[in-house]
Amino acid sequence: MARCLNSICADNHTVKGDFLKGIIAMPARRALEKEKIDTLEKLSCYSEEEIRNLHGFGKNAMEKLKNHMNKYKVSFKNENFEIKS
C-alpha cells in the first residue's frame, strides 16, 4: 500500500515541463501548470493580478517572473487599456 501512495504523491508533485525551471519555485510552477500556462505567450494573456491570485504565487515569485518576462519583452495583459478614438 505504501508503494501505491508514494506513486500518487510523486505524480501529483512533479511538473511535466521545464517551463520557468530555475526561475520561480515549484509551488508557483505548479500553479501555472494547473492553469495550463506553459509558455510566455500564454502567460501574457493573463493580468498580473490573475497570476498573483494563484495559490503558490507570492511576492518573490512574482518579482522573479516579471524580471524574466521583461528579459524577453513580454508583459501581462493590461486590463485597463483603452483605445481612444
Side-chain angles (χ1 to χ4, degrees):
M1 179 117 169
R3 184 176 178 189
C4 222
L5 291 176
N6 286 337
S7 298
I8 292 170
C9 289
D11 288 341
N12 287 337
H13 294 295
T14 59
V15 175
K16 293 175 180 73
D18 287 338
F19 181 60
L20 299 176
K21 184 175 183 178
I23 307 298
I24 58 176
M26 284 298 294
R29 289 176 58 212
R30 282 192 296 265
L32 293 176
E33 180 187 8
K34 186 176 179 181
E35 296 296 317
K36 298 188 181 2
I37 301 171
D38 57 2
T39 65
L40 289 177
E41 183 180 358
K42 288 180 185 177
L43 188 58
S44 70
C45 294
Y46 291 81
S47 70
E48 183 176 343
E49 184 178 351
E50 289 172 317
I51 298 300
R52 189 181 304 272
N53 287 331
L54 295 177
H55 181 72
F57 262 89
K59 182 179 178 182
N60 189 35
M62 185 55 74
E63 268 187 51
K64 290 179 179 181
L65 181 59
K66 286 168 58 175
N67 288 336
H68 183 73
M69 291 172 72
N70 285 335
K71 180 179 173 182
Y72 291 97
K73 298 181 180 7
V74 176
S75 61
F76 289 110
K77 176 179 74 172
N78 186 354
E79 295 178 336
N80 297 323
F81 183 72
E82 294 179 16
I83 299 174
K84 296 181 181 181
S85 29

